[in-house]
Amino acid sequence: MASTHRLSRQHLVYSLDKTHPPALEIAPGDTVVLETYDARTGTIQRDEDLLDHPHPKGSNPATGPILVRGAEPGDALCVEIQQIELAPRGFLGVKAGMGLLGELAGDFATRIVPIEGDQARFGERLRFPIRPMVGVIGTAPAGEGVSTGFPGPHGGNMDNRYVAPGSRVYLPVNVPGALLGIGDVHGAMGDGEITYIGLEICAEVSARVELLKGKTLRRPLVETAEYWITTGDHPDTAQALRVAAEEMVRWMQERMQLSFAEAYMLMSAVVDVQICQCCGPGEFPVTTRAMISKALIP
Ligand code: CA
Ligand code: CA
């Protein structure tokens, strides 16, 4: 029978790495309630707390790693995000010189953002809807560990706002046990995450983890109620868009039994290729997605 586990935010990693000892072992089909820390591990509590100190351990702690019994290289995990409960407040910020408009951002600034129901409050006058999502989700890579600041074929810091309640994230298993980590929840994040941080916030993420034996994936794939979404990343924006597009054309060929030319033509009519994160092209990898409506997929 499937069990529900809980993992506290004391179990943090700052990289996805096969050498990290598992914090929790689960069986396929189990549900995990993970407490996640904010991207600065609780060091930002007031508007006066600026992003001017390097984080002692790195940014984007992920809770985990979780060992999935029976997972072997060549399998895939299906992580269904069931629920994201946000802490009562998070923060937005500017790090001087950082982000897409870094040259205009001369000063550091922090804004604590209280969560009030399904709204976030920005100062006294402005409110905006929350849109909870998971920034970091991934398995341990086969080779060297990868910082949770970076994305890759193992997942990691994808900052894809469709990784949200109701979504399923399919991740390649690269090492025995998979070693899943989840963190960097955002209360809201616009595509691009242009300052380089979203509405960073502590959270509780409930996720059901399935194991798909023999389902080999090259990169993470996301399924929502409406879309299939392939993913990409690369330091160069055009190349990052290309990775997600190539994943999509291959996936359409496989799922819809199409030739390359058919999938490529169709893609130009019905697929949206979009930016997930472009806070510092050239410096940080740009992350991307390509989306197709599930109505078109048999
Ligand atoms: Ca992130
Ligand atoms: Ca973040």
Side-chain angles (χ1 to χ4, degrees), residues 271-282:
V271 168
D272 293 319
V273 178
Q274 301 175 337
I275 299 273
C276 294
Q277 193 250 76
C278 62
C279 65

Side-chain angles (χ1 to χ4, degrees), residues 122-190:
F122 185 81
E124 293 309 314
R125 291 186 303 117
L126 292 172
R127 281 163 204 275
F128 57 88
I130 60 167
R131 199 163 59 176
M133 57 161 278
V134 170
V136 170
I137 180 167
T139 53
E144 294 237 320
V146 174
S147 156
T148 44
F150 285 82
H154 67 295
N157 192 21
M158 295 191 288
D159 286 322
N160 184 335
R161 66 182 173 80
Y162 288 87
V163 180
S167 302
R168 293 183 181 145
V169 184
Y170 298 87
L171 296 166
V173 175
N174 309 299
V175 301
L179 300 179
L180 171 69
I182 292 179
D184 188 32
V185 166
H186 298 147
M189 189 198 93

